Amino acid sequence: VAPALALRDAAWRELDAAQRAERERRNPLPPDLTDTEGDQLAALERQLRQDLGSLTAARRAERRAADIGRERAGLDREARADDQTLLDAAEWLAEWDTARRAHQQRIETAQEAATRAEQLGARIEPAAERLAAARLRDRFAGELRAAEGELLAARERSAQAHEHWLDLKDRRLRGIAAELADGLRDGQACAVCGATEHPDPARAGAGHVDRATEEAAQAGHRRAEETRREAEAHCQSVKEALAGATATAGDSAAGELAAQVEELRAEFARAHALGADLHAAREALGRAEREYERRRAEQQQAERRAAARTSHREALDRERAALEEELTQARGDCASVADRAGRLERQVALLAAAAEASRTANACAQRLKEADAALSDAAYRAGFDTPQAAAEALLRDDAWRALQQRLDDWQAESAAVEAELADPDALAAVALPPADPDAAYAAHQAAAGRLRTASATHAAATERCTALDRLSAQAEADARALAPLRAASDRIARLAALASGTSTENERRMRLESYVLAARLEQVAAAATARLHRMSAGRYTLVHSDERTGGARRSGLGLHVIDAWTGHERDTSSLSGGETFFASLALALGLADVVTDEAGGTRLDTLFIDEGFGSLDEQTLDEVLDVLDSLRDRDRSVGIVSHVADLKARIPAQLEVVKDRSGSTVRHRVPS
């Protein structure tokens, strides 16, 4: 009976709640609908929903009308912006021709200034050179005056020293008898008369000049003469420098040239400053032209937008007029369709809530009747006279819960005991012999010791593996870093061996310096061949050779001769003594020519040749001297040191060394 009683109580509570909810839902309804049946309320709700559905299109039309208003406002804003754009473009374009002419004038001015700056820049350097030459000319003029004064003084001192020396020499010669007498000894023959007796030797008189005094005077004369020659050379060099500076500067004063240079530089600076504006002027013209194109495009776009806007505005006006007619009918007595729709939605919601609450209350009343019938039937079957008697016999909740708790506890304890008794481990343990805790403890301790040893061994092995991994990674990184270094080192070592001539790739074992010098040696050999051809009557030609001479010897600086008589190339060691001499002389002359070219045109004016002419035959000697004479024809001095008698007839200016008992002397000799 208890479930039926519970069901009947629940139905009663639901009915009470539903009736309260129905009263709450009916209170907001109009007075004429307060007592209306639920079916009528549902029918009225459906009718209002139909009216609300008919307003959906009107609400869309109302939103479209609002959109049209905003669109018209946007068109008006666009129209005002385009009007301002057209006004700005018209004002700017009206000034375009004037602005373009101004930009073009600026570009033309900058171009003319750049051209002028280029012309002035080409004139500045020659003007500056003339100014520098003029300043050098003025300085050299002062130096020339000082040098001429020094030269005059040196000449006077040289003349005085010469006269002093000649005077002392003359006085010594006059008293030479006393000097000879000073060396006489009894029993020794006189160097003049051969007598061995010297009864009355000459005596030195007052003012006697001895040999040391004369030699000192002669040395003073030589120093004075050397000073005079140096002064003459200095004076001549100053004259040459003055002539060169005067040829460059002309007769214009240095101040005038300086003013011209400053004026040119000032004009160049002004023209350069104006010319530097050329790029900016072109950029400005480009920007102005781009701005012109932009303004023109904006003007045309604004005009097209204005034309399109007019037709669009007319279409919007027609659409809005049609919508307003439709909305007037849809609004009714409300301010807007949305207000009317909101009122209908609120009415529909109230009617729907009231109808639903009425239906719920009716359903709850029906369930209560069914629960009363089920309770009466259950009480009769259980032997109670009335449902009230069954309700009085029903246990209270606390008593029922206490009995249920006792039953649950007993069932749980019984299940736990049965599970323990049925455990296979417990049944197997009963059949085992008694346990030995001491032996188990000892086994446990031994196992723990082995575990600690194994753990320590494992930890050490893990640490060594980690260290090995770290070292392997480091070794791999070092190997990767070392690979390019080893490659670079190998490349540099190969280059060093190649440059030093020790590499197997260097087939000729030629050093780098020999390779560089070989180019110069080729030039020297080519220059020497021009002279050697004449000296050898066209027989020999000198060529550079980089062939190895055998063994471990290096190559690069070898010389061979090509013998035109045989057509073969051979080593220079196969030349005879005379051929070796004039080949060496040709090389010396070729080297002088190459050095002259390499030194920027500095001339080697003097050449001395010591011996070697005695090894030449008469014909070869003539050819060699012809070559040396050609050097003299080009204002170069050639000095020959030789004892060959045939040279005395060929050499116009000679210094002859004469030997006697008192020593060697040098005298100037001109052949007759």
Side-chain angles (χ1 to χ4, degrees):
V1 181
L5 286 173
L7 182 62
R8 191 261 180 191
D9 292 338
W12 171 254
R13 289 192 297 272
E14 289 179 357
L15 176 60
D16 184 61
Q19 289 176 347
R20 287 197 304 272
E22 183 181 9
R23 287 192 296 271
E24 292 176 357
R25 296 293 184 273
R26 287 178 176 272
N27 287 333
L29 295 177
D32 56 340
L33 298 177
T34 303
D35 297 328
T36 304
E37 294 295 331
D39 296 339
Q40 296 178 355
L41 292 176
L44 184 59
E45 176 196 356
R46 288 191 294 274
Q47 181 180 357
L48 290 179
R49 286 188 182 277
Q50 292 176 358
D51 295 340
L52 182 61
S54 64
L55 292 179
T56 302
R59 295 177 70 176
R60 289 196 297 269
E62 188 175 39
R63 289 194 296 271
R64 175 57 185 161
D67 293 339
I68 290 174
R70 289 191 294 272
E71 193 170 350
R72 279 294 306 270
L75 290 176
D76 293 338
R77 288 193 299 272
E78 292 178 0
R80 289 192 295 271
D82 286 342
D83 291 340
Q84 185 63 39
T85 299
L86 290 172
L87 180 61
D88 294 341
E91 292 177 354
W92 193 92
L93 293 174
E95 302 293 333
W96 166 242
D97 292 336
T98 303
R100 181 174 58 187
R101 285 193 297 272
H103 285 299
Q104 290 176 347
Q105 180 64 31
R106 179 183 175 187
I107 291 175
E108 292 173 359
T109 302
Q111 287 177 340
E112 293 175 357
T115 304
R116 176 65 175 164
E118 185 176 358
Q119 295 172 353
L120 291 172
R123 292 171 54 190
I124 287 175
E125 185 175 357
E129 291 178 355
R130 288 188 63 195
L131 174 59
R135 289 173 176 168
L136 287 175
R137 178 197 62 197
D138 296 343
R139 193 186 73 186
F140 288 147
E143 292 182 2
L144 179 59
R145 288 191 294 272
E148 288 176 345
E150 292 179 358
L151 177 59
L152 180 59
R155 286 175 176 172
E156 292 177 355
R157 289 193 296 271
S158 177
Q160 292 174 1
H162 187 257
E163 292 177 358
H164 179 61
W165 171 55
L166 293 178
D167 179 60
L168 291 180
K169 184 176 182 180
D170 182 64
R171 289 167 56 188
R172 181 192 172 197
L173 291 175
R174 288 196 299 269
I176 194 65
E179 185 174 340
L180 292 174
D182 187 55
L184 294 177
R185 298 294 183 269
D186 291 338
Q188 294 181 359
C190 176
V192 178
C193 62
T196 57
E197 295 181 358
H198 317 292
D200 188 13
R203 296 291 186 269
H208 175 69
V209 177
D210 56 6
R211 182 176 182 177
T213 304
E214 180 193 356
E215 291 178 351
Q218 185 180 11
H221 166 61
R222 290 175 179 170
R223 289 193 297 272
E225 186 66 17
E226 182 65 25
T227 303
R228 179 190 64 78
R229 285 194 296 271
E230 292 176 356
E232 286 180 349
H234 176 63
C235 184
Q236 183 62 29
S237 64
V238 172
K239 285 181 180 180
E240 293 175 357
L242 176 61
T246 303
T248 302
D251 298 332
S252 301
E256 181 181 353
L257 293 176
Q260 292 177 1
V261 171
E262 291 300 326
E263 183 178 358
L264 285 175
R265 286 175 176 168
E267 292 181 4
F268 173 76
R270 291 192 295 269
H272 182 71
L274 290 175
D277 189 45
L278 178 60
H279 179 71
R282 288 175 176 169
E283 289 291 333
L285 177 59
R287 289 194 298 271
E289 290 176 345
R290 291 191 294 272
E291 181 66 16
Y292 169 77
E293 296 297 333
R294 188 182 68 81
R295 296 273 185 170
R296 285 283 299 165
E298 287 182 352
Q299 186 183 40
Q300 294 172 359
Q301 292 173 2
E303 292 174 351
R304 288 195 293 270
R305 287 196 300 269
R309 219 173 12 252
T310 301
S311 60
H312 191 194
R313 188 183 289 111
E314 293 175 354
L316 290 177
D317 291 340
R318 289 192 298 270
E319 184 180 1
R320 185 166 61 178
L323 290 175
E324 286 295 335
E325 182 178 357
E326 179 183 353
L327 291 174
T328 300
Q329 297 176 358
R331 290 190 190 104
D333 57 349
C334 295
S336 64
V337 175
D339 292 342
R340 187 181 178 192
R343 185 173 66 181
L344 289 177
E345 288 174 351
R346 288 191 297 274
Q347 291 176 357
V348 168
L350 292 175
L351 289 174
E356 180 64 25
S358 177
R359 287 193 295 272
T360 302
N362 292 334
C364 289
Q366 183 63 31
R367 285 196 296 274
L368 179 59
K369 291 179 182 180
E370 295 173 355
D372 286 338
L375 177 61
S376 298
D377 185 61
Y380 176 76
R381 287 195 305 271
F384 294 99
D385 295 334
T386 61
Q388 183 65 30
E392 291 176 355
L394 186 67
L395 289 175
R396 295 191 302 275
D397 290 342
D398 53 350
W400 180 84
R401 284 194 296 273
L403 291 175
Q404 185 66 40
Q405 182 65 35
R406 288 178 60 191
L407 178 61
D408 293 340
D409 292 343
W410 183 86
Q411 290 177 347
E413 184 177 358
S414 175
V417 170
E418 290 177 356
E420 287 294 334
L421 292 176
D423 187 5
D425 293 338
L427 295 176
V430 172
L432 294 175
D436 187 358
D438 295 335
Y441 179 75
H444 170 70
Q445 292 296 325
R450 290 193 299 274
L451 176 61
R452 285 192 297 272
T453 302
S455 298
T457 304
H458 178 266
T462 302
E463 184 177 358
R464 285 195 296 273
C465 289
T466 303
L468 287 174
D469 291 340
R470 184 175 63 256
L471 292 175
S472 298
Q474 182 178 357
E476 182 179 0
D478 292 342
R480 290 178 179 176
L482 183 61
L485 297 177
R486 180 179 290 118
S489 175
D490 293 341
R491 183 170 60 256
I492 293 172
R494 288 178 60 194
L495 287 174
L498 188 64
S500 62
T502 59
S503 173
T504 56
E505 298 176 1
N506 191 336
E507 297 178 356
R508 302 187 182 278
R509 301 183 60 82
M510 186 186 300
R511 290 190 178 94
L512 179 60
E513 56 268 24
S514 300
Y515 176 76
V516 174
L517 291 175
R520 292 291 182 266
L521 185 57
E522 289 179 355
Q523 298 176 1
V524 172
T529 297
R531 304 279 175 36
L532 185 59
H533 262 286
R534 292 185 57 188
M535 296 181 187
S536 63
R539 179 179 179 183
Y540 293 121
T541 299
L542 280 172
V543 293
H544 165 257
S545 173
D546 55 5
E547 295 181 357
R548 296 175 58 181
T549 57
R553 298 182 62 184
R554 303 180 187 274
S555 63
L557 298 178
L559 281 175
H560 285 179
V561 293
I562 299 177
D563 192 342
W565 290 3
T566 63
H568 296 293
E569 179 179 335
R570 52 195 175 95
D571 194 81
T572 53
S573 60
S574 64
L575 295 175
S576 64
E579 291 171 342
T580 302
F581 169 71
F582 62 68
S584 300
L585 179 59
L587 279 173
L589 297 177
L591 179 60
D593 293 339
V594 172
V595 170
T596 298
D597 294 337
E598 292 293 333
T602 302
R603 289 172 53 84
L604 299 179
D605 293 328
T606 305
L607 174 67
F608 285 95
I609 304 172
D610 187 8
E611 292 300 341
F613 292 93
S615 60
L616 303 178
D617 55 38
E618 183 177 356
Q619 181 181 355
T620 305
L621 178 61
D622 291 339
E623 292 172 349
V624 171
L625 290 179
D626 288 341
V627 173
L628 297 179
D629 285 339
S630 66
L631 298 178
R632 292 177 58 248
D633 292 341
R634 292 196 294 269
D635 297 331
R636 298 175 73 176
S637 300
V638 179
I640 296 176
V641 181
S642 178
H643 61 279
V644 178
D646 293 341
L647 292 177
K648 295 181 180 180
R650 298 290 302 271
I651 306 302
Q654 302 176 8
L655 292 177
E656 184 177 3
V657 179
V658 180
K659 296 184 290 185
D660 56 18
R661 293 182 178 180
S662 60
S664 300
T665 58
V666 178
R667 64 183 179 184
H668 183 263
R669 181 175 178 274
V670 178
S672 56

